[in-house]
Amino acid sequence: MVFSSIPFLFRFLPVFMILYFVAPRRMRNIILFLGSLIFYAWGEPVYVLLMLFSTFSDYLHGCLIGACKNRNVARGLLISSIVINLGILGFFKYSDFLIGTVNQLLGCNIPLLNLPLPIGISFYTFQTMSYTIDCYRGEVKIQKNILDFGVYVVMFPQLIAGPIVKYRDVQEQLHERKTDIADINYGCRRFIVGLAKKVLLANNLGLLWTEISGAGPETTTVLGAWLGVLAFAFQIYFDFSGYSDMAIGLGAILGFHFPENFNYPYMAASITDFWRRWHISLSSWFKEYVYVPLGGNRRGLPRQLLNILIVWMLTGIWHGAGWNFLLWGLWFALWLILEKLVLLRIFKALPRMVGRLYTWLIVLVSWVLFAVESGSGAFAYLRIMFGQTAAGLYNDGTLFILLEYGVLLIIAAVAATPLVHRVTERMYRAAQGGMMAVRRVLEKLLLSLLLLASIAYVVEASYNPFLYFRF
Amino acid sequence: MKLDNEKLHAGMTVALLGLILLVLALADLVKEDRLFSETENRILAQKPEWSVESALSGEFEEAYESYVTDQFVSRDTWVMLKTRMDILFQKKLIGGVYLGDEGYLIEQHLPEDYDQKLVDQRLDQLETFIERYPEAKVMLVPTADNILTDKLPAFAVFYDQKQLLAQVKERIGEQRVIDVFPILTEHREEQIYYKTDHHWTTLGAYYGYLAWTEAVGYWPRSFDPQDLETVSDSFLGTLHSRINLPMEGDKIQIFPRTTSRRVEILYDYEKEADSFYEPSYLETKNQYGYFLDDNHGIVEITTGYSAGGKELFLIKDSYANTIIPLLAPHYEKIYVLDLRYYNGSLFTLMEQYVTHNKVSVLVLYNCIHFLEDFAYR
């Protein structure tokens, strides 16, 4: 089920919330568990079994690792858990990619499996791996209660598109959590803001990207190509961060505190900075469970650069089984390495704006690699961006589109900065006396309006994909 | 105390938002399903049948989602709210319709949708037709986007029908083409197109008629735009259906002289009428159907005029329905063929009607319908 849909907002959510809050506390986990299974099964009626298998397998591995005194046996159990997780992920996500590559290299003709990708598999396998690894490291208490562990894996707010919650972030809350009205209020706010980001900004800017990428390369102008990739940059950001907001918000309503996933990535002044702000839960997962174990920066510069390369190849391929995603990861690895070697020192001496522009340029190019899935298509698109097109710099069509989407682009640009957040924060802090009343009325009014406007766009949804579903 | 106050307001916010969702959810449960949406002019999704296979394949879930979305409580209001917000975002193109100046809705036709291959295909057929009937005339009327260019939003793109016309002239000879571009352009400040519909108005058709008389060398009958009589002022046409905002209705007008004679009309060999106009359509959404009973494959008209035995065979689209009453005084009989509703061989049919040299042949389409529909066997 998708958050921004009528079945979720007006069937699942009200029924679930009423049951959850009416039920006695000890019943809440079972309600959350079963509710989440229904939520998942709505979109993936068969693969729900795969998810349950994965959950049970890691629960069992956790218990065994906890009971095991011998370090070597524990290590074997950990490896078994990782092999099963990566095996499932590899089989369902990468087998066709591998078969295709082998076919191409050896000229043979092994048939593709054409398996549909189980929704959220990249997210929940990473979550459960964080648990068994931390069990082995002794950083978490072994979860003996299979229901509590099941809730961790399948709970619907973060199930299908993150944030990737590490087990230790929520281990206490799984068993015992308080929900007070301030949390619920905060959760509602986050949810509505996320919903609005998704359906008002991401979906509408997605139309702009579809329009431009859908036209042939012969008719795309330079300005049009830049507008298109700019729109995609905003689309993927508001799509994904909107989803994270909704997940964090729903989590807060239920009493969970999920980690933040975004911190104004488009304000970053370097690629290093960008990846500290973009999909934080994924990059910190790779940092903790791949980069640091590989030695991180403790084994000399060449080894560190190699580690960066490995991590970003994996990050790329995590996003999808395709060469373009690998290329996308390598593109970032290249700039991260260059930054480590020289660029960061140079940028330090320059105004922050220079770093920001550079980051925007690198990131926009990366989105072309990401969004245009065929390599040749991506390069053709990049050539247009950098002036090689018969259609010229711009034409009436480009200017029309610019005016058509100008207001949305401006709103999106402002919404990608901390400005709105700062203004509301200041209002909250400064609100005293009469201002307090104004703030309270304004908050209710704005949230209701955002909710109603979002519903209108959900009802009349000719275009409503979730980009991060594919991963 | 202050803290409690804060909590109270947090609670009120939560209650308000929860109530919005809950009230809508409950209202949605009790409302009745509709089969058809008048405003969107389409059939709405209905409750899907449940079965184990359809649920396991995900087919049921998908159908159910379209169902609840299509049937959502007061859907029309939500759709209108969305359109209003799009306009607030300064969108000038909604559902393939430009929001033009002075309240004109103008249908968008993109150049890339009418490629040279399509044009050549139509021109080949037209050329074959002209080889068979060399005396035929061809009138291709431009659509609003090509004439009301000053009313289009800034930088709006449109398919250039002037160059299409140039190609037609080159292919079949200029003397066979009745060019209405100049006269329509000259009168673009008058209401020659509907504001809410893709057709030209009776006034627009009148200027088309003037261009026609000049081209064929007839003396125009004295139709005076001053005399135009309004039969409806509540016409909300096809373009309005795609925008769905409250708008003032268009006027449907006729020249009173066109009702002065008793005509005999036979639609599709079965339905008879004695007027060019069918008032029952004014009570429906499709008020343009008032002209010549909407669309028919073959219409035979006995005009009641004596014109020295002259007759007309007309191959046409819906644009012609407003001009036919004006052509009537020049012919004793008019045979009207709409190729969209006729599957037989065109030339075989025409042999039955074009039996002597007093039968003229006219092809009349708007440029877009010509490209989309002018195809025969």
Side-chain angles (χ1 to χ4, degrees):
Chain A
M1 218 180 280
V2 183
F3 292 161
S4 56
S5 72
I6 300 293
F8 178 78
L9 291 171
F10 297 101
R11 299 284 191 274
F12 181 86
L13 192 62
V15 173
F16 174 81
M17 285 298 174
I18 288 171
L19 287 178
Y20 184 84
F21 281 105
V22 166
R25 274 179 192 281
R26 64 196 156 73
M27 295 292 289
R28 286 186 177 173
N29 269 3
I30 186 87
I31 291 174
L32 180 53
F33 183 76
L34 293 177
S36 299
L37 289 189
I38 292 170
F39 175 89
Y40 189 81
W42 182 260
E44 295 284 2
V46 180
Y47 283 145
V48 71
L49 297 173
L50 180 68
M51 182 173 73
L52 288 175
F53 167 76
S54 173
T55 307
F56 184 68
S57 151
D58 285 303
Y59 166 77
L60 203 63
H61 277 93
C63 288
L64 291 174
I65 290 172
C68 178
K69 299 275 175 329
N70 183 327
R71 212 49 196 149
N72 283 332
V73 177
R75 200 184 172 84
L77 285 164
L78 174 64
I79 290 170
S80 148
S81 157
I82 290 175
V83 165
I84 291 173
N85 274 307
L86 292 182
I88 291 173
L89 186 61
F91 180 73
F92 284 98
K93 190 166 178 176
Y94 300 105
S95 45
D96 276 358
F97 177 57
L98 286 178
I99 292 171
T101 309
V102 168
N103 281 348
Q104 224 165 18
L105 287 179
L106 305 179
C108 48
N109 207 0
I110 309 166
L112 298 180
L113 302 176
N114 285 321
L115 290 169
L117 182 68
I119 291 176
I121 190 167
S122 313
F123 291 92
Y124 72 70
T125 48
F126 270 46
Q127 294 208 159
T128 53
M129 274 196 284
S130 86
Y131 169 70
T132 45
I133 295 171
D134 281 359
C135 283
Y136 172 77
R137 290 174 173 178
E139 289 181 14
V140 293
K141 274 206 291 265
I142 305 301
Q143 180 59 269
K144 299 268 170 55
N145 184 330
I146 188 160
L147 179 63
D148 288 2
F149 183 71
V151 164
Y152 161 65
V153 183
V154 308
M155 76 171 120
F156 72 89
Q158 38 73 320
L159 172 59
I160 45 186
I164 300 170
V165 181
K166 288 183 200 112
Y167 179 76
R168 62 168 180 271
D169 293 337
V170 290
Q171 61 175 336
E172 277 94 34
Q173 297 153 28
L174 286 171
H175 187 63
E176 183 77 60
R177 53 187 177 271
K178 283 207 306 269
T179 33
D180 67 31
I181 193 70
D183 282 337
I184 297 179
N185 183 29
Y186 170 77
C188 289
R189 210 161 65 215
R190 279 300 287 268
F191 182 80
I192 290 174
V193 168
L195 182 66
K197 276 168 144 181
K198 158 72 186 146
V199 298
L200 300 183
L201 294 177
N203 284 1
N204 283 321
L205 289 166
L207 290 175
L208 170 54
W209 163 246
T210 316
E211 194 170 324
I212 287 179
S213 61
E218 324 74 52
T219 53
T220 306
T221 61
V222 177
L223 181 63
W226 282 93
L227 270 180
V229 69
L230 188 68
F232 182 80
F234 282 132
Q235 182 196 3
I236 194 164
Y237 170 59
F238 288 114
D239 193 285
F240 194 18
S241 81
Y243 196 96
S244 294
D245 286 341
M246 288 190 268
I248 291 167
L250 288 170
I253 293 172
L254 303 179
F256 288 96
H257 299 281
F258 296 153
E260 288 296 330
N261 217 7
F262 290 88
N263 180 25
Y264 304 103
Y266 290 139
M267 300 297 284
S270 67
I271 296 301
T272 311
D273 192 16
F274 178 80
W275 274 103
R276 283 192 200 116
R277 294 160 172 268
W278 179 276
H279 204 344
I280 299 166
S281 67
L282 179 73
S283 39
S284 74
W285 195 100
F286 271 117
K287 183 173 181 193
E288 182 168 348
Y289 298 112
V290 181
Y291 181 74
V292 171
L294 284 174
N297 57 5
R298 289 161 294 137
R299 295 212 217 153
L301 190 63
R303 182 58 196 247
Q304 186 190 359
L305 299 184
L306 179 68
N307 290 343
I308 290 176
L309 193 69
I310 293 171
V311 165
W312 258 269
M313 271 169 63
L314 292 176
T315 304
I317 209 78
W318 180 89
H319 281 83
W323 290 106
N324 67 310
F325 293 111
L326 188 67
L327 198 64
W328 178 76
L330 286 172
W331 170 254
F332 279 119
L334 168 74
W335 293 97
L336 288 165
I337 288 169
L338 286 176
E339 284 181 2
K340 278 269 150 7
L341 293 176
V342 282
L343 286 177
L344 280 185
R345 260 165 286 162
I346 297 175
F347 283 132
K348 228 169 220 162
L350 294 168
R352 219 177 142 69
M353 211 53 217
V354 178
R356 284 205 176 125
L357 283 176
Y358 143 84
T359 307
W360 262 99
L361 182 70
I362 303 303
V363 171
L364 284 183
V365 170
S366 88
W367 289 138
V368 175
L369 302 175
F370 191 94
V372 186
E373 291 192 10
S374 80
S376 58
F379 290 122
Y381 196 94
L382 285 170
R383 269 201 298 278
I384 298 172
M385 282 171 69
F386 294 99
Q388 288 208 2
T389 170
L393 211 53
Y394 62 89
N395 58 24
D396 274 5
T398 325
L399 294 178
F400 183 77
I401 286 176
L402 181 62
L403 290 184
E404 195 74 352
Y405 289 93
V407 174
L408 262 178
L409 284 169
I410 292 169
I411 295 175
V414 172
T417 70
L419 192 70
V420 178
H421 183 71
R422 270 189 211 145
V423 169
T424 48
E425 281 295 292
R426 187 160 299 175
M427 269 184 66
Y428 273 61
R429 232 170 286 143
Q432 298 291 342
M435 276 299 284
M436 182 88 105
V438 173
R439 190 266 283 169
R440 282 172 175 159
V441 173
L442 211 61
E443 176 184 293
K444 292 182 183 62
L445 194 71
L446 284 178
L447 286 176
S448 311
L449 284 180
L450 270 187
L451 177 61
L452 293 174
S454 303
I455 293 170
Y457 276 82
V458 170
V459 171
E460 219 290 79
S462 27
Y463 182 83
N464 191 3
F466 247 129
L467 294 186
Y468 263 73
F469 266 17
R470 296 179 308 169
F471 309 140
Chain B
M1 191 61 215
K2 194 171 167 256
L3 201 76
D4 283 346
N5 211 0
E6 193 70 2
K7 272 191 176 169
L8 179 73
H9 277 276
M12 278 167 63
T13 310
V14 172
L16 174 70
L17 299 169
L19 214 61
I20 292 178
L21 286 187
L22 206 60
V23 165
L24 286 173
L26 289 175
D28 189 42
L29 283 183
V30 297
K31 66 101 202 22
E32 302 241 321
D33 287 356
R34 297 182 300 169
L35 263 176
F36 185 80
S37 160
E38 276 280 319
T39 46
E40 287 173 88
N41 196 24
R42 66 182 185 90
I43 294 168
L44 300 172
Q46 301 298 311
K47 197 173 208 156
E49 289 285 329
W50 191 89
S51 75
V52 177
E53 300 92 71
S54 72
L56 284 183
S57 69
E59 208 177 293
F60 171 79
E61 288 88 337
E62 216 166 283
Y64 184 81
E65 185 154 345
S66 325
Y67 160 66
V68 287
T69 308
D70 268 13
Q71 300 288 353
F72 191 63
V73 61
S74 40
R75 177 178 167 88
D76 292 354
T77 313
W78 297 110
V79 172
M80 194 195 292
L81 180 63
K82 186 210 172 225
T83 308
R84 283 194 189 279
M85 290 196 34
D86 279 341
I87 292 172
L88 204 67
F89 287 142
Q90 300 302 307
K91 287 232 182 179
K92 301 276 188 215
L93 177 69
I94 294 174
V97 175
Y98 287 122
L99 308 179
D101 293 347
E102 299 165 35
Y104 273 93
L105 302 181
I106 301 173
E107 190 172 26
Q108 183 196 42
H109 306 108
L110 287 173
E112 53 265 35
D113 292 340
Y114 305 97
D115 59 10
Q116 195 56 41
K117 209 179 121 203
L118 178 71
V119 173
D120 287 336
Q121 216 176 324
R122 298 305 184 225
L123 290 184
D124 288 346
Q125 285 227 303
L126 188 62
E127 199 174 13
T128 312
F129 183 81
I130 291 294
E131 278 162 16
R132 186 75 176 253
Y133 293 98
E135 299 302 318
K137 298 277 185 204
V138 176
M139 184 197 282
L140 297 184
V141 183
T143 52
D145 54 348
N146 271 248
I147 298 295
L148 308 180
T149 45
D150 56 337
K151 294 186 176 60
L152 285 174
F155 308 114
V157 181
F158 55 88
Y159 173 69
D160 181 5
Q161 299 168 14
K162 227 174 208 160
Q163 61 76 29
L164 171 70
L165 213 60
Q167 289 191 59
V168 175
K169 285 178 179 172
E170 197 186 309
R171 204 45 116 67
I172 63 168
E174 199 162 340
Q175 74 284 2
R176 294 195 178 88
V177 177
I178 302 169
D179 188 351
V180 291
F181 253 98
I183 192 163
L184 290 182
T185 309
E186 189 186 328
H187 294 277
R188 68 210 278 191
E189 290 309 320
E190 299 162 41
Q191 204 180 341
I192 53 177
Y193 293 95
Y194 292 110
K195 289 186 174 182
T196 69
D197 193 75
H198 67 285
H199 290 102
W200 59 356
T201 61
T202 308
L203 184 62
Y206 167 71
Y207 292 121
Y209 166 74
L210 289 185
W212 173 80
T213 53
E214 197 182 314
V216 297
Y218 289 163
W219 196 250
R221 298 301 166 105
S222 54
F223 297 110
D224 186 348
Q226 301 288 334
D227 299 339
L228 275 171
E229 186 184 305
T230 302
V231 296
S232 164
D233 57 4
S234 59
F235 174 37
L236 293 172
T238 53
L239 302 180
H240 173 266
S241 300
R242 296 206 228 154
I243 306 281
N244 267 320
L245 287 181
M247 276 183 78
E248 209 177 304
D250 270 310
K251 284 181 182 154
I252 289 195
Q253 297 182 309
I254 56 167
F255 286 100
R257 283 194 56 169
T258 54
T259 58
S260 64
R261 279 201 200 210
R262 193 189 149 82
V263 293
E264 285 167 36
I265 303 180
L266 186 62
Y267 294 111
D268 293 327
Y269 306 121
E270 51 183 30
K271 185 178 165 189
E272 290 176 17
D274 58 6
S275 162
F276 293 114
Y277 309 114
E278 187 51 58
S280 62
Y281 280 95
L282 299 179
E283 309 303 318
T284 68
K285 187 145 173 72
N286 175 21
Q287 293 194 19
Y288 190 79
Y290 178 72
F291 299 100
L292 280 145
D293 201 49
D294 207 22
N295 293 314
H296 289 280
I298 293 170
V299 184
E300 296 178 5
I301 303 169
T302 310
T303 65
Y305 287 91
S306 44
K310 280 190 290 183
E311 297 180 357
L312 177 69
F313 191 90
L314 174 62
I315 302 171
K316 62 98 200 177
D317 68 352
S318 54
Y319 259 52
N321 290 7
T322 34
I323 201 174
I324 288 170
L326 307 181
L327 301 177
H330 302 276
Y331 299 104
E332 291 181 2
K333 279 183 181 289
I334 301 179
Y335 311 109
V336 185
L337 173 67
D338 191 330
L339 287 172
R340 286 174 299 170
Y341 304 96
Y342 177 70
N343 289 327
S345 151
L346 173 64
F347 293 139
T348 315
L349 180 82
M350 286 184 71
E351 276 162 21
Q352 294 169 34
Y353 288 102
V354 189
T355 47
H356 52 89
N357 62 3
K358 282 188 176 171
V359 187
S360 314
V361 175
L362 176 64
V363 176
L364 197 164
Y365 280 81
N366 80 34
C367 295
I368 297 300
H369 286 162
F370 172 74
L371 290 177
E372 286 171 355
D373 300 328
F374 185 74
Y376 62 84
R377 290 202 291 145

